[in-house]
Amino acid sequence: MKAYLKTLKKSFLIAGAILAMSGCKIDIDPLDKYTDVAVYQNPVNIRLYIIGMYAEFGTFKFGTFPIGYDNATDALTDIMKYSSGVSGNGTVNILASDASRVSAAGPMLNYWTNGYIRIRRLNEFLEGLDTKAQGLDEATKLKFQAEARFIRGYVYFWLVKLHGSVILLDKLTSEKDKQRSSEDDCWNFIAADFAFAAEYLPKTWDSANTGRVTKGAAYGMLARTWLYAASIAEYDQKQFNSDPLTGVPTAKAIPYYTNASKAADEVKKLAGEGLYDLEANFASIFTNKNTKEAIFKIDFIRPQFTHQYDLGFAPPKDAPGQVLVYGVPTAELVNEFEMSDGSTFSWSNPTMAANPYVNREQRFNATILFNGSSWKGRTINTTPADAVEGITEYGASTDPKKTVSGYYAKKFLDPLNTEIVVNKSDQSWMELRYAEVLLIDAEAKSKINDITGAKTSLNTLRNKRGLPNTPSQTPAELMRAVEHERKVELAFEGHRYWDLRRWRKAHIVLNNVKFTGHKGAPNGASFTYTTVSVDNTDRQFTPALYYIPIPLDEILRNNAITQIKGW
């Protein structure tokens, strides 16, 4: 067996976070392969091998999925609209409005090949640790195993979110033909990987290894995994697919919600030790590299290791003629944010409608750029009167590079980066943050009738965001509150599409509907706003899409596997 290592550059110290190497470099010559002796009999190279595997965490950074150019899955939902209608910048719009684009021949939402390549490399590493590694004490070996199984669990988490039933490989095998495992077994396999990682990973690493996965990250991902499995058990109930290997037995919903709650409690214990916390200033979370909300994140550093988020999502005058304006917020998201006193915003309320962006909760002002927003020394004008940043009708231009909803996405943008073309972007991407863990806990506890525990987690988050306690009292009311909080708290972080899928609401919320924006017009000293469509055709989400088909080329090469029924 030969282990393959990708060339690592100093700026890409690890994809999970930039390793502070204290003067030690991990630059290596661009060699194609390393022998077993070079890797497993040298502890330094063993470390480099697993660091190379961290690249997988960059695949879905900032909520994107590898379709088109930086297309975000939130744009498949009711909270974001991509401005372009052409393949590439607007592939996500094509998929959102045409369910037939998903087929075994071209699933579009396809991670199968890349995911299994990564799984094989990780299984090679695990086998090498067991049979060839030298110079490692048992504790260090277990940490390496824990890291590898964390990454493998992460890869499988994405595969199972997509397909439900996939092929499980816990070790290297030459077997070419293998059938899919049941969805229930898949979720348990993922949970076992994260549970192992949680047992053997440290709470923190020393300064030379900052950014590697930790016990808190493993428990957080374990909580997320059990929440998904429990959701399928509760909401799917074999209503949408007759495949014998998809779905999770309904009877397992409560045990799995309980598991999610217990894993979240472990993260909360670590927060109690001072490792994690919520930030009082919501806007600062996403530009503060040292935020305690981050449980696991990818860090970037100029000039070697950057990204292009600002160029992709900033309003046009940040770099005239160069900003791309991929995705913009919808009215459906804007309307969801509460008033600062916790009351529900409504356009039917004359006072609120007269000044719709005044006295809104802090998350609104940190997430949305609206007509009248102060931004980088100017006032944003999204009315048609502004030829550069004003609203345009979706479809009037194939790639307008300006808002089609009357809003721009503010979350993640760096307000201090005034030269986004030259500087590019270096904001961190948080794969997992403490707010999500509290929302997982609130949801799970509401399902097991721990009303007090659910309210405690939910109110901890709301109070930190400057909002009063939730008025919810029953499990059903708490669940509605959790759905609302996830929609606004986690906006643009890549959760909404997958939430609607696991709650089995996507075929209701995302089907046969057009989403909207708001077009402003001057009215004396103020503005009036009319609702406009951001879609020129109805959205489509058919129940079959809850299980994306296995790619046809895998069906053709694997004589044992069967296609998911319905495809």
Side-chain angles (χ1 to χ4, degrees), residues 372-390:
S373 284
S374 177
W375 178 248
K376 292 186 179 178
R378 68 183 188 274
T379 298
I380 297 290
N381 179 358
T382 64
T383 71
D386 191 315
V388 178
E389 291 186 330

Side-chain angles (χ1 to χ4, degrees), residues 42 130 141 199 208 213 280 315 330 334 404 458 487 529 539 561:
N42 184 330
D130 281 339
K141 180 179 176 181
E199 182 175 359
V213 291
T330 63
V334 166
V404 294
L458 196 57
K487 188 174 181 179
Y529 294 90
R539 301 284 183 111
I561 197 171

Side-chain angles (χ1 to χ4, degrees), residues 388-402:
V388 178
E389 291 186 330
I391 187 173
T392 186
E393 180 183 358
Y394 175 72
S397 170
T398 57
D399 198 10
K401 295 182 173 59
K402 60 194 296 192

Side-chain angles (χ1 to χ4, degrees), residues 235-267:
Y235 296 112
D236 185 74
Q237 299 182 16
K238 300 300 292 182
Q239 300 174 79
F240 309 103
N241 188 279
S242 61
D243 192 288
L245 296 176
T246 61
V248 176
T250 304
K252 295 191 175 183
I254 296 302
Y256 289 176
Y257 281 127
T258 302
N259 291 346
S261 173
K262 289 179 178 178
D265 282 341
E266 293 299 323
V267 183

